[in-house]
Amino acid sequence: MLSETFSPLIQLKAVSKFYQTGETRVCALSDVNAELNRGDFVTVMGPSGGGKTTFLNCVGGLDTPDEGEIVLNGRLMSGMDDNALTLLRRKEIGFVFQFFNLLPTLTVWENVELPLLLAQWKQQDDPRIQELLEFVGLETRAQSFPAELSGGQMQRVAIARALVHRPSIILADEPTGNLDSENGAKILDLLNQVSTEFQATIVMATHNPLGASYGNRHFEIRDGRMTEHTSSKQP
Ligand code: ADP
Ligand code: MG
């Protein structure tokens, strides 16, 4: 459909999100407006507690805004119930987390296969799993368990898992936050490769100063307010 092809992949219109803890009301997102396009590699920086995770979770349908609208690939998320959001996530979105979130009782292969099983898309020995393990350089570790891997390797598995259903969007929340700088840099390089080779739109929240040099668009969220910087340098 013409309008879908040329419309932004992700649109946020006046999005706000509040959390009430006892007497205190925190504004985690405040009137956020943004248009993210196919192929964008977006970095989201800013202080801890600024609203980065809330932003990613709202875009990924893990959380819902209190005000405003999010349109994802032409579909308005606001009116969707949990089932519809789950189906949308399984089709369109891959998540990468700071603490990898692999299932410890499943092998590397099974962890990567899991989104296909959940979406009931699995063919016998889907070739995508092997291809992705090669892409992240872990083809020899297919039968290992997460506990047998280093942090950097675990995050590689998580990236393969996030890609296996060919999502249009990868949401990465501090993907290098639990890695040393050398492994962190390798993960950033890998995400850069994902951006070019899979044409996935990447939205990455990061504290990593090196992370800011990646990506073509740079946002900062502070006290729930999001601003876009024209260069990767943050004030
Ligand atoms: P960041 O990822 O930038 O560190 P968050 O999005 O996690 O920021 O948090 C933004 C603000 O919202 C913070 O003040 C945080 O304490 C608050 N917050 C986030 N999630 C919750 C929650 N589930 N309940 C209450 N407050 C929350
Ligand atoms: Mg966070």
Side-chain angles (χ1 to χ4, degrees), residues 19-21 26 28 47-55 173-174:
Y19 291 111
Q20 188 82 33
T21 331
V26 173
S48 184
K52 301 182 295 298
T53 295
T54 307
F55 174 75
D173 196 355
E174 314 247 11

Side-chain angles (χ1 to χ4, degrees), residues 92-103:
E92 299 282 356
I93 296 171
F95 287 96
V96 178
F97 301 95
Q98 179 174 359
F99 295 103
F100 324 128
N101 293 18
L102 300 177
L103 292 181

Side-chain angles (χ1 to χ4, degrees), residues 133-208:
L133 289 178
E134 287 171 17
F135 174 70
V136 302
L138 286 175
E139 63 276 15
T140 62
R141 305 307 301 268
Q143 298 312 317
S144 300
F145 287 92
E148 297 165 340
L149 304 179
S150 70
Q153 289 172 327
M154 282 195 257
Q155 198 61 302
R156 287 172 179 275
V157 177
I159 289 171
R161 178 184 58 182
L163 286 168
V164 75
H165 56 302
R166 294 291 187 267
S168 50
I169 301 162
I170 300 284
L171 300 174
D173 196 355
E174 314 247 11
T176 67
N178 203 35
L179 301 176
D180 60 66
S181 55
E182 192 185 327
N183 279 303
K186 286 184 187 163
I187 291 298
L188 292 172
D189 282 339
L190 185 60
L191 287 172
N192 209 25
Q193 238 179 303
V194 168
S195 167
T196 53
E197 292 181 30
F198 288 79
Q199 276 104 46
T201 299
I202 300 182
V203 187
M204 174 177 75
T206 184
H207 271 120
N208 190 330

